[in-house]
Amino acid sequence: QSALAQPPSASGTPGQRVTISCSGSTSNIGTHPVSWYFQPPGTAPKLLIYNNNQRPSGVPDRISGSKSGTSASLGISGLRSEDEGDYYCAAWDNGPNAWMFGGGTKLTVL
Amino acid sequence: QVQLVESGGGVVQPGGSLRLSCATSGFNFTNYAFHWVRQAPGKGLQWVTFIRHDGTDKYYADSVKGRFTISKDNSKNTIYLQMSSLRVEDTALYYCAKGDSDWGQGTLVTVSS
């Protein structure tokens, strides 16, 4: 099963806004809600966004998610050094009946 | 609060078997579906298997189909992953996840001769 498509890397300076894209197809993002996860080095993934644009309690409002058609994006504004790590999108896929993940985007705060 | 604690990882030879457990607490276990997701060293997240809240539906990644089995024990609030015919490429940190929200810290499986 192929992964959702994410850029392998992204970067920004403190205070900037960055956007990470996630591209899929009609059988996954086009049909099902998208989740986004943050994984700092050496730790387990943590949910940032569910149901395309909903933030769990504790996730600041400088984190946002959106979806259009078969693509989704994660926005992070007011970049901080602690935002460095790997970001993954995920969505269920009707085709193989599998939970698909993007390949991950490594965010660097310069 | 919600907790998921994986255990059972270790070093096993190719062709061997291992059973992972995911003990949960802090929520109504019978209301939720679960996934196992793995991460090979230095690689991204790879979904392994899913079980519906009532255990009626189970799905597997092609790479583990026929070798891995997911199950749940409502009396123990625990999810299991029975792994057999293990391959070197199954080496990874294995996470259990409650729906798409909460994840455990993972248990490491190393398949090596």
Side-chain angles (χ1 to χ4, degrees), chain A residues 1 34-35 37 39 42-47 49-51 86 88 92 96-104, chain B residues 35 37 39 43-47 50 59-63 65 93 95 97 99-106:
Chain A
Q1 291 112 341
V34 177
S35 303
Y37 300 90
Q39 187 178 36
T43 67
K46 171 194 164 186
L47 180 67
I49 293 288
Y50 67 98
N51 199 19
D86 296 320
Y88 296 91
W92 187 258
N97 277 325
W99 196 24
M100 293 299 198
F101 285 90
Chain B
H35 302 270
V37 178
Q39 187 169 33
K43 303 296 185 182
L45 301 174
Q46 182 191 27
W47 174 78
F50 163 89
Y59 301 114
Y60 298 90
D62 287 345
S63 57
K65 208 170 288 185
L93 188 59
Y95 296 103
D100 67 350
S101 59
D102 301 278
W103 295 52
Q105 291 303 304

